[in-house]
Amino acid sequence: MNIDNYNNNNNNNNKNNNKNNNINSNNKTISLLLILFGLPACGKTYFSNKLIELIINEDQDSLKELFNNNNNNNNNNNNNNNNNNNNNNNNNNNNNNNNNNNNNNNNNNNNNNNKIINIYHIEYDKIFLNINDSLNNTSIENWKPTRVEVYNQIYNITNNSNQKIILLNQFKPTKSYFYNNNSNSNSDSNNSNDILNLFILDDNMYYKSMRYKFYQLTYNNNNNNNNNNNNNNNNNNNNNNNNNNMEQEDIRYCQIYFPNDLKKSKELNNKRLIKNNVNDEGIEKMNSLFEQPNLDKNNWEKENTLFFNFGFNFNDSDNNQIKLILKDIKNKFYNFKKLNTQQQQHHYDNEELLQFDQKKENDKIITKNNIIHQFDLHCRKIISELMKPTNNNNNSPYSNQSKLLSQYKQHFLKFILTQFIHENNEYIQNYSDIIPYKEQLLNNFKNNCLDKIIK
């Protein structure tokens, strides 16, 4: 994505969303986040490939069935949200009830829509190499840009937006297939298409925060929809009628843990022929840091975790095991329910919060101030270069623009850059972590400065 889209994302996204809502008002979109995590060489990639092969060749209907409980899932979530929002006024409640009735009325229409199913196999190892190639970076140590990239890509796809900065082209499905419910239509026509996206995230994810960040997407999307609904309540009746047909995008989460076996992981890892193979020391360190799913403390993991307790023989008999797991995965997605607000907030136990929260906040402040200082210097240099042709010409039409650009610099640092740091605070812990995005951010700043000069 071009960073230019990031600067005014709120206005642009609102315009695009309104446009899309009018065209595809009866469409459903379901996004399934399937997280695979465990030590290197524990079988995650092999499992992913076999799972996709099974779905495509033998069991395509397994995912199609998930369209059938889309409305029920959304209605359950709306009820939970209404119970938690004690400050809603009567008008908002009436509007929400009307929206639910409209969704039910549209259910029959949705059942007749064509179905498109996209499967994304997201291999962090490959994305890591692609990012390093794009940055001409030979280092194999910094994985933070890869983690930011995957999250931002999925955020953009699930929210149908260009809000997040990405370094690579937008991810394309590994496999796609199509159900045509009308013999006279096709996937490229103007007929309504319901879409199901299955994202298989193939990574170690040894910190639970790495997994929880994706679980939170199920709430982020719902919050965006709630904000849109509240805004719609303030519009006139005609606009409300147009938007009442909208289907909320449904995002669901499931994770599969491949239990750690340090000895076996090192043994199999040494047999792998990949460019960025982790060494034994790296696996041992990862194993010591690994935060296994804690079903007693973390409610969000309790309901959404499967344990991979099979051993692969790397032959045709594996299909029987994968069929069993696919059935369990489908059940998890089919019955997925978001936690209420109170349960969501206590995803870590109180002792951890007390121990780490203050330190993390202090570290964030130091990091943000350092990055802003460095970018301030870069921005000053850009402004100085732009003003060079006018320095000796008091009659130049550009000679009075320096103050305007300085004001914009403050806006850029305070809002655009600060927002980017805040949204990626888990991965941006020092100035070097933002370097992959430095060129895009500064180009955005320079282009907007030029626009202001021309105007």
Side-chain angles (χ1 to χ4, degrees):
M1 157 195 158
N2 191 314
I3 184 67
D4 291 340
N5 291 328
Y6 187 79
N7 186 30
N8 297 309
N9 60 71
N10 290 330
N11 292 332
N12 291 336
N13 285 335
N14 286 338
K15 292 178 182 177
N16 291 333
N17 286 339
N18 290 335
K19 182 178 179 181
N20 290 335
N21 289 339
N22 292 330
I23 296 174
N24 299 313
S25 59
N26 291 326
N27 286 6
K28 292 180 185 177
T29 301
I30 304 175
S31 292
L32 310 177
L33 306 180
L34 180 60
I35 312 297
L36 311 182
F37 66 106
L39 291 177
C42 64
K44 301 185 296 294
T45 301
Y46 177 78
F47 169 79
S48 300
N49 291 330
K50 298 293 286 187
L51 180 66
I52 295 171
E53 181 181 317
L54 174 66
I55 293 173
I56 295 298
N57 296 333
E58 298 184 34
D59 200 4
Q60 292 188 3
D61 289 341
S62 61
L63 296 181
K64 182 184 177 184
E65 295 173 12
L66 291 169
F67 283 108
N68 297 332
N69 81 324
N70 173 267
N71 282 329
N72 291 332
N73 185 281
N74 282 332
N75 288 336
N76 287 335
N77 291 329
N78 286 335
N79 290 334
N80 288 334
N81 289 329
N82 288 333
N83 290 333
N84 291 327
N85 294 331
N86 295 324
N87 295 325
N88 282 346
N89 58 41
N90 290 332
N91 289 332
N92 286 337
N93 286 333
N94 289 333
N95 282 325
N96 285 335
N97 289 332
N98 290 333
N99 286 337
N100 286 335
N101 290 333
N102 283 321
N103 284 336
N104 289 331
N105 291 333
N106 288 324
N107 192 25
N108 290 332
N109 291 332
N110 286 328
N111 288 335
N112 293 324
N113 290 351
N114 299 319
K115 315 294 184 188
I116 299 175
I117 297 179
N118 300 316
I119 303 177
Y120 297 79
H121 181 195
I122 301 175
E123 298 181 68
Y124 278 60
D125 289 342
K126 290 184 178 179
I127 295 169
F128 172 84
L129 294 176
N130 290 339
I131 289 177
N132 279 0
D133 288 342
S134 68
L135 299 174
N136 295 320
N137 182 11
T138 59
S139 170
I140 61 170
E141 297 179 359
N142 192 354
W143 280 76
K144 293 175 184 177
T146 300
R147 301 193 185 283
V148 173
E149 179 74 8
V150 172
Y151 177 83
N152 288 353
Q153 288 265 4
I154 291 179
Y155 182 97
N156 285 348
I157 295 172
T158 56
N159 287 277
N160 191 27
S161 74
N162 290 326
Q163 185 173 348
K164 301 288 188 181
I165 298 176
I166 56 177
L167 300 174
L168 306 175
N169 293 330
Q170 181 172 300
F171 291 164
K172 294 182 179 180
T174 307
K175 296 287 184 180
S176 294
Y177 55 99
F178 175 73
Y179 289 94
N180 192 333
N181 289 338
N182 186 336
S183 59
N184 295 322
S185 66
N186 58 69
S187 61
D188 296 323
S189 69
N190 292 325
N191 293 290
S192 294
N193 292 318
D194 295 337
I195 299 174
L196 185 146
N197 296 316
L198 171 61
F199 298 94
I200 303 175
L201 276 66
D202 177 354
D203 185 40
N204 306 307
M205 294 202 184
Y206 48 91
Y207 289 135
K208 58 188 170 187
S209 61
M210 296 175 179
R211 286 117 55 187
Y212 184 71
K213 188 174 180 71
F214 287 98
Y215 175 77
Q216 285 181 302
L217 282 175
T218 66
Y219 286 90
N220 291 343
N221 178 269
N222 191 62
N223 289 337
N224 289 337
N225 287 322
N226 287 338
N227 290 334
N228 289 334
N229 287 334
N230 289 334
N231 290 332
N232 288 337
N233 289 334
N234 296 325
N235 293 332
N236 58 45
N237 290 332
N238 290 332
N239 287 336
N240 278 328
N241 290 334
N242 287 334
N243 288 320
N244 279 339
N245 290 330
M246 289 171 54
E247 280 287 345
Q248 288 189 5
E249 183 167 344
D250 183 2
I251 303 180
R252 310 181 196 182
Y253 178 94
C254 176
Q255 61 182 28
I256 302 180
Y257 171 52
F258 290 67
N260 293 355
D261 185 332
L262 180 59
K263 181 179 179 181
K264 187 174 182 180
S265 177
K266 291 194 293 185
E267 178 184 339
L268 293 176
N269 182 66
N270 290 327
K271 296 179 180 179
R272 296 199 298 179
L273 300 176
I274 58 176
K275 184 176 178 180
N276 55 325
N277 205 10
V278 184
N279 57 31
D280 286 354
E281 183 181 353
I283 294 178
E284 290 170 358
K285 181 179 180 180
M286 191 182 301
N287 184 63
S288 66
L289 297 172
F290 210 105
E291 296 178 340
Q292 300 181 15
N294 191 326
L295 307 190
D296 294 327
K297 290 183 178 180
N298 303 325
N299 290 323
W300 64 277
E301 289 192 304
K302 180 178 180 180
E303 301 298 331
N304 304 303
T305 302
L306 295 172
F307 290 82
F308 188 89
N309 294 317
F310 300 97
F312 280 135
N313 297 314
F314 298 93
N315 56 41
D316 292 339
S317 65
D318 293 337
N319 276 352
N320 294 328
Q321 299 175 6
I322 294 175
K323 286 179 181 178
L324 294 175
I325 300 172
L326 176 58
K327 182 178 179 181
D328 290 338
I329 292 171
K330 186 179 72 174
N331 288 336
K332 287 291 185 183
F333 282 133
Y334 197 91
N335 297 303
F336 176 77
K337 293 181 180 179
K338 300 184 179 87
L339 300 175
N340 62 40
T341 305
Q342 184 177 6
Q343 290 173 315
Q344 181 197 7
Q345 288 173 344
H346 292 86
H347 59 93
Y348 293 134
D349 61 82
N350 291 333
E351 182 179 348
E352 284 180 309
L353 289 173
L354 291 173
Q355 184 176 1
F356 294 115
D357 271 4
Q358 189 59 50
K359 183 179 184 302
K360 286 175 65 177
E361 288 304 313
N362 292 338
D363 290 344
K364 287 178 186 177
I365 293 172
I366 294 172
T367 297
K368 187 184 79 169
N369 290 339
N370 181 43
I371 292 174
I372 290 176
H373 172 69
Q374 295 295 329
F375 269 77
D376 181 57
L377 297 177
H378 289 298
C379 291
R380 288 173 184 271
K381 183 177 180 180
I382 289 173
I383 292 176
S384 176
E385 291 175 351
L386 291 175
M387 292 293 98
K388 274 182 181 179
T390 70
N391 286 341
N392 298 320
N393 186 359
N394 293 329
N395 296 322
S396 168
Y398 306 117
S399 60
N400 296 322
Q401 300 300 321
S402 179
K403 183 177 180 180
L404 178 63
L405 297 187
S406 294
Q407 290 174 346
Y408 175 67
K409 174 175 69 70
Q410 295 303 320
H411 171 82
F412 175 82
L413 297 173
K414 184 176 181 180
F415 295 103
I416 300 176
L417 181 61
T418 300
Q419 180 185 351
F420 179 80
I421 296 170
H422 173 73
E423 290 176 348
N424 300 284
N425 64 77
E426 289 185 28
Y427 305 120
I428 298 178
Q429 298 174 4
N430 51 61
Y431 178 70
S432 63
D433 295 333
I434 204 171
I435 288 178
Y437 307 94
K438 174 182 169 183
E439 182 178 356
Q440 289 191 59
L441 287 164
L442 291 177
N443 281 341
N444 173 56
F445 173 77
K446 182 176 181 179
N447 290 335
N448 283 293
C449 285
L450 286 170
D451 288 342
K452 294 182 180 297
I453 290 175
I454 293 173
K455 292 178 182 178

PDB file of all heavy atoms in Angstrom, residues 38 80 87 120 196 211 253 325 340 360 373 379 389 416 434 445:
ATOM      1  N   GLY A  38       3.909 -23.261  17.798  1.00  0.00           N
ATOM      2  CA  GLY A  38       4.739 -24.278  18.423  1.00  0.00           C
ATOM      3  C   GLY A  38       6.183 -24.044  18.009  1.00  0.00           C
ATOM      4  O   GLY A  38       6.476 -23.133  17.224  1.00  0.00           O
ATOM      5  N   ASN A  80     -24.959  -9.622  23.350  1.00  0.00           N
ATOM      6  CA  ASN A  80     -23.945  -9.424  24.394  1.00  0.00           C
ATOM      7  C   ASN A  80     -23.540  -7.969  24.496  1.00  0.00           C
ATOM      8  O   ASN A  80     -23.368  -7.426  25.593  1.00  0.00           O
ATOM      9  CB  ASN A  80     -22.703 -10.274  24.087  1.00  0.00           C
ATOM     10  CG  ASN A  80     -22.956 -11.747  24.322  1.00  0.00           C
ATOM     11  OD1 ASN A  80     -23.814 -12.115  25.118  1.00  0.00           O
ATOM     12  ND2 ASN A  80     -22.214 -12.586  23.615  1.00  0.00           N
ATOM     13  N   ASN A  87     -25.607   2.457  28.919  1.00  0.00           N
ATOM     14  CA  ASN A  87     -25.885   3.868  28.694  1.00  0.00           C
ATOM     15  C   ASN A  87     -26.607   4.134  27.378  1.00  0.00           C
ATOM     16  O   ASN A  87     -26.808   5.278  27.011  1.00  0.00           O
ATOM     17  CB  ASN A  87     -24.568   4.667  28.712  1.00  0.00           C
ATOM     18  CG  ASN A  87     -23.915   4.635  30.080  1.00  0.00           C
ATOM     19  OD1 ASN A  87     -24.597   4.622  31.088  1.00  0.00           O
ATOM     20  ND2 ASN A  87     -22.588   4.622  30.105  1.00  0.00           N
ATOM     21  N   TYR A 120      -5.924 -18.620   2.786  1.00  0.00           N
ATOM     22  CA  TYR A 120      -4.614 -17.974   2.817  1.00  0.00           C
ATOM     23  C   TYR A 120      -3.696 -18.783   3.742  1.00  0.00           C
ATOM     24  O   TYR A 120      -3.974 -18.900   4.941  1.00  0.00           O
ATOM     25  CB  TYR A 120      -4.723 -16.557   3.381  1.00  0.00           C
ATOM     26  CG  TYR A 120      -5.546 -15.577   2.596  1.00  0.00           C
ATOM     27  CD1 TYR A 120      -6.941 -15.589   2.673  1.00  0.00           C
ATOM     28  CD2 TYR A 120      -4.944 -14.606   1.795  1.00  0.00           C
ATOM     29  CE1 TYR A 120      -7.708 -14.662   1.968  1.00  0.00           C
ATOM     30  CE2 TYR A 120      -5.702 -13.679   1.093  1.00  0.00           C
ATOM     31  CZ  TYR A 120      -7.081 -13.726   1.185  1.00  0.00           C
ATOM     32  OH  TYR A 120      -7.834 -12.801   0.501  1.00  0.00           O
ATOM     33  N   LEU A 196     -15.961 -16.125   2.320  1.00  0.00           N
ATOM     34  CA  LEU A 196     -15.357 -16.686   3.529  1.00  0.00           C
ATOM     35  C   LEU A 196     -13.848 -16.737   3.328  1.00  0.00           C
ATOM     36  O   LEU A 196     -13.370 -17.330   2.358  1.00  0.00           O
ATOM     37  CB  LEU A 196     -15.909 -18.079   3.829  1.00  0.00           C
ATOM     38  CG  LEU A 196     -15.434 -18.721   5.136  1.00  0.00           C
ATOM     39  CD1 LEU A 196     -16.541 -19.582   5.752  1.00  0.00           C
ATOM     40  CD2 LEU A 196     -14.179 -19.574   4.947  1.00  0.00           C
ATOM     41  N   ARG A 211      -0.438 -14.094  19.961  1.00  0.00           N
ATOM     42  CA  ARG A 211      -1.707 -14.718  19.576  1.00  0.00           C
ATOM     43  C   ARG A 211      -2.884 -13.827  19.931  1.00  0.00           C
ATOM     44  O   ARG A 211      -3.821 -13.674  19.141  1.00  0.00           O
ATOM     45  CB  ARG A 211      -1.859 -16.064  20.286  1.00  0.00           C
ATOM     46  CG  ARG A 211      -1.002 -17.184  19.748  1.00  0.00           C
ATOM     47  CD  ARG A 211       0.004 -17.742  20.711  1.00  0.00           C
ATOM     48  NE  ARG A 211      -0.513 -18.203  21.988  1.00  0.00           N
ATOM     49  CZ  ARG A 211       0.273 -18.597  22.990  1.00  0.00           C
ATOM     50  NH1 ARG A 211       1.599 -18.588  22.842  1.00  0.00           N
ATOM     51  NH2 ARG A 211      -0.233 -18.987  24.141  1.00  0.00           N
ATOM     52  N   TYR A 253     -12.073 -16.845  15.670  1.00  0.00           N
ATOM     53  CA  TYR A 253     -10.692 -17.190  16.042  1.00  0.00           C
ATOM     54  C   TYR A 253     -10.622 -18.624  16.553  1.00  0.00           C
ATOM     55  O   TYR A 253     -11.496 -19.099  17.289  1.00  0.00           O
ATOM     56  CB  TYR A 253     -10.220 -16.217  17.126  1.00  0.00           C
ATOM     57  CG  TYR A 253      -8.826 -16.471  17.662  1.00  0.00           C
ATOM     58  CD1 TYR A 253      -7.732 -15.817  17.118  1.00  0.00           C
ATOM     59  CD2 TYR A 253      -8.609 -17.350  18.714  1.00  0.00           C
ATOM     60  CE1 TYR A 253      -6.456 -16.030  17.606  1.00  0.00           C
ATOM     61  CE2 TYR A 253      -7.331 -17.578  19.214  1.00  0.00           C
ATOM     62  CZ  TYR A 253      -6.265 -16.917  18.656  1.00  0.00           C
ATOM     63  OH  TYR A 253      -4.999 -17.142  19.151  1.00  0.00           O
ATOM     64  N   ILE A 325      -9.065 -33.465  12.833  1.00  0.00           N
ATOM     65  CA  ILE A 325      -8.746 -32.102  13.276  1.00  0.00           C
ATOM     66  C   ILE A 325      -9.611 -31.082  12.542  1.00  0.00           C
ATOM     67  O   ILE A 325     -10.081 -30.109  13.139  1.00  0.00           O
ATOM     68  CB  ILE A 325      -7.251 -31.810  13.057  1.00  0.00           C
ATOM     69  CG1 ILE A 325      -6.396 -32.787  13.848  1.00  0.00           C
ATOM     70  CG2 ILE A 325      -6.915 -30.387  13.491  1.00  0.00           C
ATOM     71  CD1 ILE A 325      -4.924 -32.700  13.542  1.00  0.00           C
ATOM     72  N   ASN A 340     -17.405 -11.409  26.890  1.00  0.00           N
ATOM     73  CA  ASN A 340     -17.911 -10.072  27.204  1.00  0.00           C
ATOM     74  C   ASN A 340     -16.748  -9.175  27.608  1.00  0.00           C
ATOM     75  O   ASN A 340     -15.615  -9.620  27.768  1.00  0.00           O
ATOM     76  CB  ASN A 340     -18.980 -10.127  28.293  1.00  0.00           C
ATOM     77  CG  ASN A 340     -18.448 -10.674  29.617  1.00  0.00           C
ATOM     78  OD1 ASN A 340     -17.337 -10.352  30.020  1.00  0.00           O
ATOM     79  ND2 ASN A 340     -19.230 -11.504  30.290  1.00  0.00           N
ATOM     80  N   LYS A 360       6.112  -1.406  31.084  1.00  0.00           N
ATOM     81  CA  LYS A 360       5.797  -1.319  29.665  1.00  0.00           C
ATOM     82  C   LYS A 360       5.405   0.098  29.277  1.00  0.00           C
ATOM     83  O   LYS A 360       5.817   0.602  28.232  1.00  0.00           O
ATOM     84  CB  LYS A 360       4.660  -2.294  29.321  1.00  0.00           C
ATOM     85  CG  LYS A 360       5.087  -3.753  29.290  1.00  0.00           C
ATOM     86  CD  LYS A 360       3.920  -4.674  29.060  1.00  0.00           C
ATOM     87  CE  LYS A 360       3.298  -4.477  27.708  1.00  0.00           C
ATOM     88  NZ  LYS A 360       2.199  -5.440  27.454  1.00  0.00           N
ATOM     89  N   HIS A 373      11.703  12.336  18.092  1.00  0.00           N
ATOM     90  CA  HIS A 373      12.856  13.233  17.994  1.00  0.00           C
ATOM     91  C   HIS A 373      13.632  12.982  16.698  1.00  0.00           C
ATOM     92  O   HIS A 373      13.996  13.928  15.979  1.00  0.00           O
ATOM     93  CB  HIS A 373      13.773  13.047  19.204  1.00  0.00           C
ATOM     94  CG  HIS A 373      15.077  13.793  19.094  1.00  0.00           C
ATOM     95  ND1 HIS A 373      15.156  15.164  19.139  1.00  0.00           N
ATOM     96  CD2 HIS A 373      16.356  13.338  18.917  1.00  0.00           C
ATOM     97  CE1 HIS A 373      16.421  15.541  19.003  1.00  0.00           C
ATOM     98  NE2 HIS A 373      17.161  14.443  18.870  1.00  0.00           N
ATOM     99  N   CYS A 379      12.342  15.472   9.269  1.00  0.00           N
ATOM    100  CA  CYS A 379      11.321  16.353   8.693  1.00  0.00           C
ATOM    101  C   CYS A 379      11.862  17.776   8.515  1.00  0.00           C
ATOM    102  O   CYS A 379      11.561  18.446   7.515  1.00  0.00           O
ATOM    103  CB  CYS A 379      10.081  16.368   9.576  1.00  0.00           C
ATOM    104  SG  CYS A 379       9.163  14.812   9.570  1.00  0.00           S
ATOM    105  N   PRO A 389      15.062  26.667  -2.895  1.00  0.00           N
ATOM    106  CA  PRO A 389      14.909  27.547  -4.072  1.00  0.00           C
ATOM    107  C   PRO A 389      14.338  28.914  -3.734  1.00  0.00           C
ATOM    108  O   PRO A 389      14.430  29.839  -4.520  1.00  0.00           O
ATOM    109  CB  PRO A 389      13.933  26.764  -4.961  1.00  0.00           C
ATOM    110  CG  PRO A 389      14.046  25.356  -4.502  1.00  0.00           C
ATOM    111  CD  PRO A 389      14.317  25.442  -3.041  1.00  0.00           C
ATOM    112  N   ILE A 416       0.029  11.485  12.950  1.00  0.00           N
ATOM    113  CA  ILE A 416       0.267  10.377  12.020  1.00  0.00           C
ATOM    114  C   ILE A 416       1.330   9.427  12.544  1.00  0.00           C
ATOM    115  O   ILE A 416       1.118   8.217  12.641  1.00  0.00           O
ATOM    116  CB  ILE A 416       0.655  10.910  10.631  1.00  0.00           C
ATOM    117  CG1 ILE A 416      -0.475  11.778  10.083  1.00  0.00           C
ATOM    118  CG2 ILE A 416       0.970   9.757   9.681  1.00  0.00           C
ATOM    119  CD1 ILE A 416      -0.150  12.435   8.767  1.00  0.00           C
ATOM    120  N   ILE A 434      11.506   0.837  13.609  1.00  0.00           N
ATOM    121  CA  ILE A 434      10.644   1.584  12.690  1.00  0.00           C
ATOM    122  C   ILE A 434      11.357   1.880  11.368  1.00  0.00           C
ATOM    123  O   ILE A 434      10.745   2.397  10.424  1.00  0.00           O
ATOM    124  CB  ILE A 434      10.170   2.900  13.348  1.00  0.00           C
ATOM    125  CG1 ILE A 434       8.860   3.385  12.703  1.00  0.00           C
ATOM    126  CG2 ILE A 434      11.236   3.993  13.267  1.00  0.00           C
ATOM    127  CD1 ILE A 434       8.213   4.544  13.412  1.00  0.00           C
ATOM    128  N   PHE A 445       5.280  12.370   4.218  1.00  0.00           N
ATOM    129  CA  PHE A 445       5.440  13.727   4.748  1.00  0.00           C
ATOM    130  C   PHE A 445       5.865  14.691   3.637  1.00  0.00           C
ATOM    131  O   PHE A 445       5.299  15.785   3.477  1.00  0.00           O
ATOM    132  CB  PHE A 445       6.468  13.722   5.879  1.00  0.00           C
ATOM    133  CG  PHE A 445       6.822  15.090   6.376  1.00  0.00           C
ATOM    134  CD1 PHE A 445       5.963  15.784   7.208  1.00  0.00           C
ATOM    135  CD2 PHE A 445       8.017  15.695   6.001  1.00  0.00           C
ATOM    136  CE1 PHE A 445       6.272  17.053   7.667  1.00  0.00           C
ATOM    137  CE2 PHE A 445       8.342  16.959   6.448  1.00  0.00           C
ATOM    138  CZ  PHE A 445       7.468  17.645   7.295  1.00  0.00           C
TER     139      PHE A 445
END
